[in-house]
Amino acid sequence: MHALEEIRERARAAAAKPALYGADLDPCEYTAEAGECGYVESLDQLEELGAEELARAGVEISGKERSGSYVQIDGSVVHSKALEKGLEVLGCREALEKYDWLWDYYWNAVAVDADKYTADVELNPFEGYFMRAMPGSRTIYPLQACLYMREPRFVQRVHNIIIAEEGSELHIITGCASKHDIEAGLHLGVSEFYVKRNAKLTFTMVHSWAEGMDVRPRSAVVVEEGGLFMNNYIAMEAVRSLQTYPTCRLVGEGATARFNSIMVAQPGSELDVGSRVVLGAPGCSAEIISRAVTRGGNIVARGHLKGETGGIRAHLECHGLILEEGGAILAVPELEGHHPDVDMSHEAAVGKIAQQEVEYLMSRGLSEEEATAAIVRGFLNVKIEGLPPRLEQEMKRMMEMSRRKAL
Amino acid sequence: MGDPEKERDAMLELRDLAVAVDGRQILSGIDLEIGYGETHVLFGPNGSGKTTLLMALMGFPRYQVTGGAIKLNGEDITSLPPDERARRGIGMMYQRPPTVRGVSLRQMVSISSRDDLDVASLAGEMNLEEFLERDVNHGFSGGEIKRSELLQLQAQNPDLVLLDEPESGVDMENLQLVGRAIRRLLQKDLVRRRSKSGLIITHTGYILDYVEADHGHVLCNGTIVCSGNPREQLEGIRRYGFEECATCTR
């Protein structure tokens, strides 16, 4: 408990500390009060809870082809269940009560005093999930998580801890969504990922917020020797502001991280999305790919690769497409090498759709509108390596659904 | 011009066509008629306006028709956009097509296709099976680009085929493949029932070893200076150069 007191103390000291990036928000301006939602044993009972929106965020209500689910509505955990052996899905607070050892992971990857938002999650009641794949376990189907907001002006505080134990393989699909007509709301989501020796963890997240929502995810990842972490992030729908800059630390030899971010900024949206990988052991490799499209909103696409030791490889790619006047994209790729034997590169490009490409497609019979849509779709169509075929299909389906709504 | 019988005889008819690019006049006084089933060849030195003519026929906005008209099957298509022209049966093989990231060759073939077709077997004929999932033109060699363009055209199955230097950058082995594909597009194995027409730009004339042409035209300084037998024209160009064509009185 001494450690918890110390955590609290650090949080209190950071309670007013603004984040480095993004508009400064005051969580006190939002309400922490929301109607209680009862627990449901089966996902199909969620239909009464506005399940259409959950589906919108990529949650498979039928639970088919999922190895378990976690669903949170506002501040209530309404469902958490693992369906396959070797997996565990619990509410984070419940898990902390159940496992003493979990406290070692609590605020270990993310600093509680990183900024006022991390501090706020610690200093107020929160929910969130704990997901764990047991050593050596492999599942065919992904786990799914959904964090849903429907109470107007609510502040949703979430703390997630995800552990892929040694030699395990864990796939997670998560949808973060809010009711479309809520005029304002704040989502503060802390996620701590631990990928143990030779484990593989893929995390695919689709954001589907309302126009008035502000979102501040705070994530960090630790990958041990031979481990692989893959993050696919899709944010194509309107949101007032979104700022996130997860950091992945590769601490073991041969660890790998891949970040793919696909963003569309609607008019009025401010997106500041980055990924950072610290390569701290020989043989580590990392790739950060971001595709940003603006339809009138502003995007800052950040990427930072830090090579702390020799024998590492890393590449960063930031591409932006400006579809409408009034929108802006700032690509900020950063490479930082601390050893002569690092192999790090980046490419960045921001511009409009090439007229020559549109005309090429038109000369094959597409109208100008169809040609433009095909090119934008192609631009956003990042080829993601390493996902199991079913998950790859699922990801394509989710992307297509988001894309249709966004463009 | 006013003879309706004559209009039906020509698939493509250009009368006194003038084209400007970025405000600069490139082509003027172009008269050209391509009948059904005919293949025409266009010779000309670099910068004479050959590609400009093809681009204007395809309807790209940068190539502005400043005079005259373009008729396809008797219909004035001068103001139609490229997609409308493609739908009416014009297909073009680019010399240097752009790379479109995220759009695969397979998608391009499907986009081009007028009918349901077996993409894999068509790609097989062009030795392009392994390229189907790749972004179109990304990292393709000169020969691969030609084959990819021809694959798309085969899917499109156009009535009027515009080919911009189909042999450039193609090695001898691939030239045969390219030649065969063009012959198929232009229905060269049909005689009476041949209806497809073609306009081929060629620098070297090598393509004439694989595809017979009915008429040849020499374009110099933006205007057609000679029309006649393509073999004889090629021979003359090889012997005397294009300079002679502009002043030729033979």
Side-chain angles (χ1 to χ4, degrees):
Chain A
M1 292 311 283
H2 173 70
L4 182 59
E5 253 327 294
E6 191 192 317
I7 288 170
R8 285 275 158 84
E9 193 49 47
R10 283 170 59 200
R12 277 191 286 270
K17 182 181 172 185
L20 202 51
Y21 304 116
D24 190 36
L25 305 167
D26 184 358
C28 299
E29 288 178 7
Y30 298 82
T31 174
E33 303 296 320
E36 282 281 312
C37 298
Y39 189 86
V40 295
E41 275 302 324
S42 159
L43 281 173
D44 52 25
Q45 292 169 268
L46 285 169
E47 301 261 353
E48 314 156 24
L49 302 169
E52 248 178 54
E53 300 280 302
L54 303 179
R56 212 165 52 82
V59 174
E60 180 54 59
I61 299 292
S62 72
K64 255 197 265 171
E65 302 197 345
R66 296 289 187 266
S67 57
S69 304
Y70 172 89
V71 179
Q72 178 176 333
I73 295 179
D74 293 329
S76 310
V77 179
V78 298
H79 184 85
S80 66
K81 193 181 277 183
L83 300 173
E84 283 190 35
K85 224 178 136 190
L87 291 179
E88 198 167 10
V89 179
L90 293 169
C92 187
R93 284 195 302 125
E94 187 187 350
L96 284 165
E97 275 170 31
K98 187 174 175 183
Y99 298 123
D100 262 353
W101 54 263
L102 190 56
W103 289 97
D104 293 339
Y105 294 83
Y106 185 72
W107 293 115
N108 189 332
V110 175
V112 67
D113 53 2
D115 57 35
K116 58 160 68 168
Y117 308 117
T118 51
D120 185 82
V121 171
E122 173 55 27
L123 297 173
N124 292 283
F126 65 90
E127 285 295 346
Y129 53 82
F130 164 69
M131 290 182 178
R132 182 187 182 205
M134 299 304 177
S137 70
R138 275 158 201 256
T139 50
I140 305 168
Y141 299 123
L143 282 173
Q144 66 177 353
C146 177
L147 301 165
Y148 184 71
M149 290 178 66
R150 63 177 185 177
E151 184 72 31
R153 296 207 63 79
F154 185 67
V155 51
Q156 187 178 50
R157 298 181 176 97
V158 175
H159 193 145
N160 307 313
I161 300 176
I162 300 100
I163 304 173
E165 297 285 5
E166 192 169 321
S168 67
E169 187 170 326
L170 175 60
H171 304 285
I172 300 171
I173 290 181
T174 165
C176 289
S178 60
K179 234 178 139 183
H180 257 342
D181 55 357
I182 61 171
E183 79 280 8
L186 176 62
H187 170 87
L188 303 176
V190 173
S191 298
E192 301 187 272
F193 299 86
Y194 300 92
V195 183
K196 300 298 185 69
R197 202 165 156 264
N198 295 327
K200 178 177 179 180
L201 172 54
T202 73
F203 189 76
T204 300
M205 175 178 273
V206 179
H207 272 186
S208 180
W209 302 107
E211 276 176 36
M213 282 290 301
D214 291 289
V215 183
R216 296 291 183 270
R218 295 293 180 259
S219 304
V221 190
V222 180
V223 187
E224 295 181 4
E225 183 186 339
L228 166 70
F229 177 74
M230 191 193 295
N231 188 79
N232 303 307
Y233 180 60
I234 302 160
M236 300 201 208
E237 293 183 51
V239 62
R240 193 169 77 164
S241 79
L242 162 64
Q243 189 274 313
T244 184
Y245 202 167
T247 295
C248 177
R249 281 183 285 131
L250 304 178
V251 297
E253 228 171 278
T256 304
R258 291 194 201 127
F259 283 82
N260 300 298
S261 305
I262 295 158
M263 302 164 265
V264 177
Q266 306 293 342
S269 289
E270 298 282 340
L271 308 184
D272 189 328
V273 175
S275 310
R276 174 182 288 122
V277 182
V278 180
L279 298 99
C284 287
S285 63
E287 185 177 57
I288 296 174
I289 292 176
S290 89
R291 293 279 186 276
V293 171
T294 172
R295 298 191 62 210
N298 295 323
I299 300 179
V300 184
R302 300 180 196 276
H304 181 197
L305 291 168
K306 186 176 179 187
E308 291 185 328
T309 185
I312 60 99
R313 266 183 315 117
H315 181 68
L316 170 56
E317 194 179 299
C318 277
H319 286 184
L321 202 54
I322 302 172
L323 293 187
E324 316 261 344
E325 277 186 31
I329 297 175
L330 171 65
V332 191
E334 292 179 274
L335 302 181
E336 187 182 338
H338 290 265
H339 193 279
D341 187 23
V342 295
D343 176 3
M344 302 166 84
S345 59
H346 80 76
E347 52 181 294
V350 174
K352 62 174 183 179
I353 291 182
Q355 188 59 25
Q356 205 197 358
E357 292 176 28
V358 175
E359 288 173 358
Y360 186 49
L361 268 63
M362 286 177 78
S363 72
R364 301 291 188 238
L366 292 189
S367 69
E368 187 171 3
E369 205 173 85
E370 291 165 338
T372 304
I375 291 166
V376 173
R377 194 164 53 234
F379 177 81
L380 294 173
N381 183 21
V382 176
K383 289 191 176 71
I384 293 162
E385 311 281 344
L387 285 181
R390 272 176 203 277
L391 191 55
E392 195 182 338
Q393 261 178 6
E394 181 63 12
M395 166 131 183
K396 278 187 183 158
R397 188 187 66 80
M398 286 159 76
M399 268 185 60
E400 185 60 18
M401 197 168 73
S402 269
R403 190 193 57 75
R404 276 202 197 130
K405 277 177 281 175
L407 300 164
Chain B
M1 264 301 263
D3 182 352
E5 281 300 313
K6 192 162 192 263
E7 280 178 11
R8 275 201 297 275
D9 286 344
M11 176 173 291
L12 180 77
E13 191 184 340
L14 311 178
R15 285 282 174 261
D16 199 22
L17 187 75
V19 177
V21 181
D22 298 333
R24 195 169 140 243
Q25 204 66 39
I26 304 292
L27 301 175
S28 58
I30 303 278
D31 290 313
L32 180 66
E33 217 170 84
I34 300 181
Y36 294 97
E38 287 181 2
T39 298
H40 289 225
V41 184
L42 197 57
F43 302 107
N46 286 337
S48 58
K50 302 185 297 297
T51 298
T52 297
L53 179 60
L54 255 56
M55 294 299 210
L57 292 180
M58 199 64 241
F60 297 124
R62 203 170 148 238
Y63 299 82
Q64 266 205 309
V65 174
T66 52
I70 303 168
K71 284 187 179 179
L72 184 75
N73 295 317
E75 181 193 6
D76 189 335
I77 60 163
T78 315
S79 57
L80 291 183
D83 53 317
E84 293 286 345
R85 298 188 194 202
R87 276 192 278 261
R88 279 165 172 74
I90 301 184
M92 178 166 158
M93 176 190 190
Y94 288 64
Q95 196 186 350
R96 290 187 201 88
T99 295
V100 189
R101 298 304 297 264
V103 177
S104 66
L105 175 58
R106 183 188 290 278
Q107 283 172 279
M108 284 302 287
V109 174
S110 301
I111 285 167
S112 307
S113 173
R114 282 188 185 182
D115 317 291
D116 282 341
L117 43 84
D118 183 350
V119 178
S121 87
L122 211 55
E125 287 171 25
M126 298 303 291
N127 286 343
L128 284 170
E129 303 104 309
E130 285 169 20
F131 289 73
L132 281 174
E133 308 312 327
R134 279 173 59 173
D135 291 354
V136 68
N137 303 324
H138 180 62
F140 286 18
S141 70
E144 287 156 2
I145 281 181
K146 302 297 178 196
R147 275 150 47 207
S148 149
E149 287 291 294
L150 285 168
L151 173 61
Q152 293 170 55
L153 279 188
Q154 284 182 54
Q156 191 182 346
N157 190 20
D159 299 323
L160 175 65
V161 186
L162 308 176
L163 304 167
D164 194 351
E165 295 200 27
E167 74 272 54
S168 74
V170 183
D171 57 36
M172 289 308 284
E173 194 183 336
N174 277 304
L175 198 53
Q176 278 196 353
L177 189 65
V178 164
R180 268 205 308 274
I182 295 173
R183 284 184 60 80
R184 255 201 314 274
L185 276 172
L186 293 170
Q187 299 174 322
K188 287 297 184 187
D189 294 331
L190 299 179
V191 181
R192 286 188 165 186
R193 290 181 13 249
R194 185 188 302 151
S195 60
K196 307 283 185 183
S197 307
L199 178 59
I200 306 176
I201 292 179
T202 177
H203 243 309
T204 60
Y206 292 150
I207 198 68
L208 296 179
D209 294 339
Y210 301 90
V211 183
E212 312 82 45
D214 305 292
H215 299 278
H217 310 277
V218 180
L219 195 66
C220 284
N221 297 321
T223 194
I224 291 175
V225 293
C226 177
S227 292
N229 181 309
R231 285 275 171 202
E232 288 179 9
Q233 285 178 323
L234 186 62
E235 189 53 36
I237 293 162
R238 280 180 182 155
R239 198 175 293 177
Y240 306 111
F242 285 114
E243 298 78 19
E244 287 289 309
C245 292
T247 54
C248 170
T249 53
R250 282 178 296 147

